[in-house]
Amino acid sequence: MPYAGDVTPHDAWDQLTIDPRTVLVDVRTVEEWLEIGVPDSPSDDKPVHFVEWATNDGPNPRFLAQLEAAGVAKDATVLFICRSGGRSIAAAEAATAAGWASSYNVLQGFEGDFDALGGRSVNGWLNAGLPTTTYAGPAE
């Protein structure tokens, strides 16, 4: 595996709550953050970082630079989350290759997998009942 591993949404929350060196990075698009909401952090001391893996124009060529500019330390445990787990795997792989050795993917993402009717009600951060909030715009 070209990144540190996968964690469930509940395990991600537990890790964020317990370990001060763990950070959460949401790699979805600005539109997703605004329309669907975002994961909340366990405290004001530990903000969620928002760095798009891809933009409306395609892959974000500044992803790694923006991750660093957001203050995500290379020795931190970094949990990447997207809508359902695909982009966050790619982000974890890229971050690992760039020196963030403890990069993890949050399984099922924020919204989770499709249900039989095409909705996203099966699993993921949102459906696990973990804390969410609205996106307030760039803070970094």
Side-chain angles (χ1 to χ4, degrees):
M1 182 178 302
Y3 58 98
D6 301 303
V7 297
T8 67
H10 279 291
D11 288 342
W13 178 257
D14 290 345
Q15 183 77 14
L16 287 163
T17 303
I18 294 167
D19 183 2
R21 300 283 308 148
T22 298
V23 297
L24 182 63
V25 179
D26 190 327
V27 300
R28 296 175 298 146
T29 64
V30 171
E31 291 79 15
E32 289 172 296
W33 301 329
L34 290 169
E35 292 174 17
I36 301 159
V38 295
D40 204 357
S41 76
S43 72
D44 291 339
D45 299 4
K46 188 183 281 200
V48 175
H49 299 281
F50 301 97
V51 183
E52 293 177 293
W53 173 252
T55 67
N56 291 334
D57 299 324
N60 179 3
R62 297 182 16 91
F63 175 76
L64 294 170
Q66 290 172 345
L67 187 62
E68 191 163 8
V72 178
K74 288 198 172 183
D75 63 346
T77 298
V78 187
L79 308 175
F80 292 98
I81 191 168
C82 66
R83 181 184 59 211
S84 60
R87 287 173 285 176
S88 51
I89 289 173
E93 290 174 345
T96 299
W100 282 272
S102 293
S103 295
Y104 291 83
N105 166 55
V106 178
L107 291 168
Q108 309 153 1
F110 185 72
E111 291 182 68
D113 297 321
F114 287 114
D115 59 26
L117 300 174
R120 291 189 181 272
S121 65
V122 177
N123 51 27
W125 185 283
L126 190 61
N127 295 307
L130 294 169
T132 63
T133 190
T134 56
Y135 178 65
E140 301 160 44

